[in-house]
Amino acid sequence: MSSCADSHVNFHVLTLFPEMVSQGLSASVTGRAFEKGIISLETINIRDYTLSKHKKVDDYPYGGGAGMLMQAQPVYDAFRATVDRINESGGDGEKARVIYVTPQGRCFRQDMAKEFAGERDLIFLCGHYEGIDERVLEEIVTDYVSIGDYVLTGGELPAMVMIDAISRMVPGVLKNSESAEIESFGNYLLEYPQYSRPEEWRGKRVPEILLSGNHEKVEEWRLEQSLERTRRLRPELYEKWTAENQEYFIKKAKREERARRKALKQKKALGVP
Ligand code: ADE
């Protein structure tokens, strides 16, 4: 891994639709991070690198079949130009990870986002039509990654999804108030429910515990809510969390036992049968 002390990540996206990617990421949190220079985005139009007179980048697949394929030459030359630019900027373009976004890849997950956020340069390759000539993929791709078991019309949206998720793992991209949450529960639990003003809306009150001012109790309640939600909606994530956090349940059982004994003692002292 070519990690960088200041954690700056440069995204390079090889695509036939550069505006789609640059415009999509220019708003909100990623846009703010580009402006602050914590991350950067370079879009490379694969069509600019075709040697064909008519700017063609696709052709029929040998052996027949539906649809067109992106040809090896423009993809490879766009890639080489990107590697050269990374080298010129002080990076190691030959070692940069090249992520081909494809439904045939490994499924993208939070831990992958975290891992990719440690790289200096990441090259994304977005396919279109029925795919890309296998020979260039063999030559340049290091990671085949999917964002889920469904097929989209191109790789731009998946690349944007991944860039967004990776960016928020880069130190400084999220404000402290936005990032605090992530660390406390680790990766596997779903968010607890949140409420803002007013205290009552359409007859529904904010849970009393959140108005109590007891920070410790609020944290406990939030964790319980997260656990309950995860157990109900994502049992496989719940299993993972419980396997890695056995001590939480041991502490909880001890706490409950202490509370039970205390209540019993109080009952006895009051002479309650
Ligand atoms: N390209 C088309 N569909 C995709 C998906 N689900 N994930 C990644 N890349 C894709």
Side-chain angles (χ1 to χ4, degrees):
M1 181 192 292
S2 53
S3 64
C4 184
D6 66 6
S7 289
H8 184 113
V9 182
N10 305 299
F11 299 103
H12 311 265
V13 184
L14 304 170
T15 168
L16 290 173
F17 300 95
E19 290 83 19
M20 185 175 171
V21 178
S22 54
Q23 283 175 14
L25 291 168
S26 67
S28 186
V29 176
T30 43
R32 184 179 73 197
F34 293 138
E35 277 171 20
K36 284 207 267 179
I38 307 167
I39 52 177
S40 75
L41 175 69
E42 177 198 24
T43 53
I44 301 101
N45 191 341
I46 294 170
R47 200 177 293 281
D48 289 345
Y49 290 87
T50 179
L51 298 176
S52 117
K53 253 205 304 226
H54 303 291
K55 291 270 175 200
K56 223 165 69 78
V57 289
D58 60 329
D59 211 329
Y60 295 99
Y62 282 117
M68 304 285 266
L69 275 188
M70 278 167 73
Q71 291 167 286
Q73 177 274 315
V75 172
Y76 187 70
D77 287 359
F79 164 75
R80 289 301 332 163
T82 306
V83 167
D84 288 347
R85 262 194 309 280
I86 293 172
N87 290 339
E88 282 159 19
S89 73
D92 188 347
E94 310 294 340
K95 290 225 178 90
R97 289 180 72 169
V98 181
I99 301 157
Y100 176 42
V101 287
T102 164
Q104 292 157 35
R106 265 192 311 153
C107 196
F108 187 65
R109 290 169 48 97
Q110 190 63 38
D111 49 4
M112 265 195 222
K114 203 166 177 180
E115 185 189 326
F116 285 138
E119 299 286 330
R120 181 193 189 272
D121 292 281
L122 287 171
I123 303 175
F124 284 87
L125 173 57
C126 304
H128 257 273
Y129 315 116
E130 288 306 307
I132 302 181
D133 189 307
E134 191 69 20
R135 291 166 296 184
V136 69
L137 298 178
E138 284 170 8
E139 194 83 10
I140 70 174
V141 173
T142 60
D143 299 84
Y144 293 75
V145 187
S146 164
I147 61 162
D149 289 339
Y150 42 84
V151 182
L152 300 166
T153 55
E156 284 73 19
L157 285 171
M160 287 157 70
V161 166
M162 290 185 223
I163 290 171
D164 187 289
I166 296 165
S167 296
R168 65 192 291 287
M169 301 309 291
V170 176
V173 167
L174 295 184
K175 293 180 184 147
N176 277 345
S177 58
E178 294 165 333
S179 58
E181 231 69 70
I182 315 165
E183 318 303 339
S184 54
F185 293 169
N187 291 331
Y188 304 128
L189 294 185
L190 302 184
E191 276 278 344
Y192 47 78
Q194 304 235 56
Y195 306 85
S196 185
R197 276 196 275 202
E199 271 181 36
E200 189 173 324
W201 179 78
R202 287 168 69 89
K204 291 177 171 216
R205 282 195 57 72
V206 171
E208 286 308 316
I209 189 83
L210 299 177
L211 310 172
S212 69
N214 184 333
H215 193 66
E216 203 175 311
K217 286 269 178 236
V218 167
E219 286 306 302
E220 216 173 279
W221 181 86
R222 286 180 166 167
L223 180 53
E224 283 297 324
Q225 292 288 316
S226 278
L227 280 167
E228 176 47 28
R229 242 182 208 192
T230 313
R231 192 186 60 76
R232 195 162 31 91
L233 300 171
R234 300 290 304 275
E236 78 291 0
L237 293 183
Y238 180 77
E239 291 300 318
K240 216 166 182 164
W241 193 90
T242 52
E244 289 181 18
N245 291 276
Q246 288 293 330
E247 83 284 1
Y248 168 78
F249 293 101
I250 296 166
K251 271 191 196 152
K252 189 179 168 209
K254 281 185 182 165
R255 220 169 33 237
E256 283 168 358
E257 179 58 14
R258 268 199 306 275
R260 198 182 64 82
R261 283 183 195 191
K262 198 171 155 191
L264 217 60
K265 227 172 167 179
Q266 276 169 349
K267 255 188 177 176
K268 261 192 190 159
L270 292 168
V272 181

